[in-house]
Amino acid sequence: MSASRLPIKESKVKDFRIVSSWDAKEFHYGVGVGVIVVSDEYPGCVLLGKRKGSDGAGQWALPGGHLMFGEELEAAAVRELKEETTLDLDVPTSQVVHWDNSIEPHDDYHYITAFVKCQVLPDRQGVYPSVVNTEPDKCEGWYWKDWEELARGNPPRSELFTGLRNMKDKGFSPFSSSEPACKSRSPSLGIMAFGTSALALGVFIGCQYVRSLHHR
């Protein structure tokens, strides 16, 4: 088996994002953030969009993207949210509330995903900011979806992107007071709890890079 890293465009070179090839297949893996956006204007709802042009095309997903080298998870969530929706939220009010080992074997996809909860707040006049779809080539549009409806299968499970689907299957709710223990932990403790999987991914990425050097 020979393995090689495939080119990543220069604007993405700092991302925890790997595209590799072996056994005549292309594999996508890395570390990402999903943003659970909530707002008192839409009680019990989260912001979802339908993906286009990449992994999970046609499926519902949270805003989010790749963690960049040296970046805090909460900062990555706020950055991605602003890039995708124009919502400009504060890092201090954001919190890592869930982790997922997102694997799609048939799609050759494997990501470790941190889910960060962010609260949309009104301005001094009580007006909430509008959500703008700034990347129509990547998303069909943004919609506020009721989380309980999601838990009841609307949209269907098959129409949910990997991390979101896994959260639903585990019974996680961003609105529940009895959520998994990671919600009450600081981000640093959450990272420690997930350290084994993250370290394994890091070692794997390093091995792929070394292999690529041997095949240049």
Side-chain angles (χ1 to χ4, degrees), residues 151-192:
R152 287 192 288 266
N154 182 27
R157 181 180 182 277
S158 61
E159 294 182 14
L160 305 180
F161 193 42
T162 313
L164 182 62
R165 183 173 68 246
N166 289 347
M167 277 202 296
K168 171 185 173 296
D169 290 347
K170 293 173 184 176
F172 174 85
S173 171
F175 303 102
S176 172
S177 59
S178 57
E179 293 173 13
C182 67
K183 183 176 182 181
S184 61
R185 297 175 179 174
S186 68
S188 60
L189 290 177
I191 293 170
M192 290 172 63

Side-chain angles (χ1 to χ4, degrees), residues 6 13 32 34 65 109 125 133 142 146 149 151 167-168 182 184 186 189-190 202:
L6 301 181
V13 72
Y109 172 93
Q125 286 73 44
N133 182 15
W142 295 109
D146 185 275
E149 284 294 312
M167 277 202 296
K168 171 185 173 296
C182 67
S184 61
S186 68
L189 290 177

Side-chain angles (χ1 to χ4, degrees), residues 5-51:
R5 286 279 302 273
L6 301 181
I8 294 177
K9 58 184 180 179
E10 188 175 350
S11 63
K12 300 294 183 181
V13 72
K14 293 183 179 180
D15 290 358
F16 280 82
R17 168 195 187 117
I18 306 296
V19 181
S20 295
S21 176
W22 62 84
D23 293 341
K25 290 184 178 181
E26 183 175 301
F27 297 83
H28 294 193
Y29 49 104
V31 179
V33 293
V35 191
I36 303 172
V37 187
V38 298
S39 171
D40 289 341
E41 187 178 22
Y42 300 95
C45 295
V46 298
L47 192 65
L48 296 183
K50 188 167 282 191
R51 294 172 64 89

